[in-house]
Amino acid sequence: MHHCGFVIVTQESLRKGVGIVPQDTVLFNTDVKYNIAYGNTLAGDEEVFAAADAADIHRRIESFPSGYETVVGERGLKLSGGEKQRVAIARTLLKNPRIILLDEATSALDTHTERNILRSFEKICANRTTLVVAHRLSTIIHAHQILVLDEGVIKERGTHEELLTSGGIYYTMWTEQQKRRDVQSESDSGADEPTSVDTQSSSDS
């Protein structure tokens, strides 16, 4: 890793150099600020707020009655799935590791929030190794190398454009996900349309 022999890599240095955002985030039964600051216990409040802002959770936290002092409950029970993931992302951004592992890190997020966070990841993950495990293919289209696994076996490899051109498993998955997204978009648009109401009252004969 970075021309460093594995012989001199200690458990402590490995943990320090790797940041993980899991699908099932583990939070402590204490306030939000502590849960984010756990990524770097030496960080000041402004650094914590900046990390939360990059994870698109800062404004949401400030809307809580107790703000950053809000206790999240056992394993983050008082937060939604998306909020828990964004807190975990903020924690990793604050840690600022050289290697980042994103394990379905945006699976509980809506499309708009996911898009904002991915923009932050593009900046944060620059010049460092990033491994992304994802079923939602929109999160990996900018990856330098995509590996398509089927039952634990690598079946395809390449960039997003190369895999689409090949017309294989990745192409099929991408096409299906785009169709579902289009259907969802149409459904959301329909829900926003005003419902007409017949205000004409009937008169008694």
Side-chain angles (χ1 to χ4, degrees):
M1 295 185 296
H2 299 285
H3 308 292
C4 179
F6 282 99
V7 176
I8 62 175
V9 175
T10 65
Q11 187 178 63
E12 181 180 0
S13 66
L14 181 61
R15 287 178 175 174
K16 184 178 180 180
V18 177
I20 302 176
V21 181
Q23 182 177 10
D24 184 17
T25 301
V26 177
L27 299 181
F28 302 105
N29 188 14
T30 183
D31 60 68
V32 179
K33 185 168 70 174
Y34 178 89
N35 274 284
I36 296 176
Y38 186 74
N40 179 2
T41 56
L42 300 178
D45 287 353
E46 292 303 318
E47 293 174 286
V48 172
F49 300 156
D53 189 48
D56 203 32
I57 188 67
H58 176 66
R59 290 185 179 179
R60 177 59 179 154
I61 294 174
E62 288 195 318
S63 73
F64 297 156
S66 299
Y68 277 83
E69 306 303 320
T70 301
V71 177
V72 303
E74 191 69 31
R75 296 180 64 85
L77 184 63
K78 295 181 180 180
L79 301 181
S80 69
E83 290 167 348
K84 286 170 60 178
Q85 279 194 314
R86 281 179 281 172
V87 168
I89 291 170
R91 177 192 292 172
T92 299
L93 296 179
L94 185 64
K95 183 179 181 179
N96 195 28
R98 299 181 69 178
I99 300 175
I100 296 179
L101 172 59
L102 307 176
D103 184 5
E104 299 283 6
T106 62
S107 61
L109 304 181
D110 60 78
T111 303
H112 176 72
T113 302
E114 178 191 63
R115 190 181 301 115
N116 291 341
I117 290 178
L118 288 178
R119 279 198 291 264
S120 297
F121 276 148
E122 288 179 12
K123 300 176 184 177
I124 299 299
C125 296
N127 300 318
R128 73 186 71 204
T129 301
T130 307
L131 304 177
V132 183
V133 179
H135 284 87
R136 191 184 293 182
L137 303 184
S138 58
T139 63
I140 59 173
I141 59 177
H142 298 299
H144 296 124
Q145 187 75 204
I146 299 173
L147 304 180
V148 181
L149 276 72
D150 183 18
E151 297 184 356
V153 179
I154 298 176
K155 293 298 182 68
E156 298 174 3
R157 112 177 25 228
T159 64
H160 174 71
E161 291 76 13
E162 291 171 346
L163 292 173
L164 288 182
T165 302
S166 68
I169 299 174
Y170 184 89
Y171 170 80
T172 301
M173 293 176 62
W174 174 262
T175 302
E176 291 176 351
Q177 290 187 16
Q178 290 303 110
K179 288 180 180 178
R180 285 199 297 268
R181 174 169 293 188
D182 291 342
V183 171
Q184 183 62 46
S185 297
E186 292 177 1
S187 176
D188 293 342
S189 298
D192 293 336
E193 294 179 357
T195 303
S196 59
V197 179
D198 185 2
T199 58
Q200 181 179 359
S201 59
S202 59
S203 58
D204 294 334
S205 56

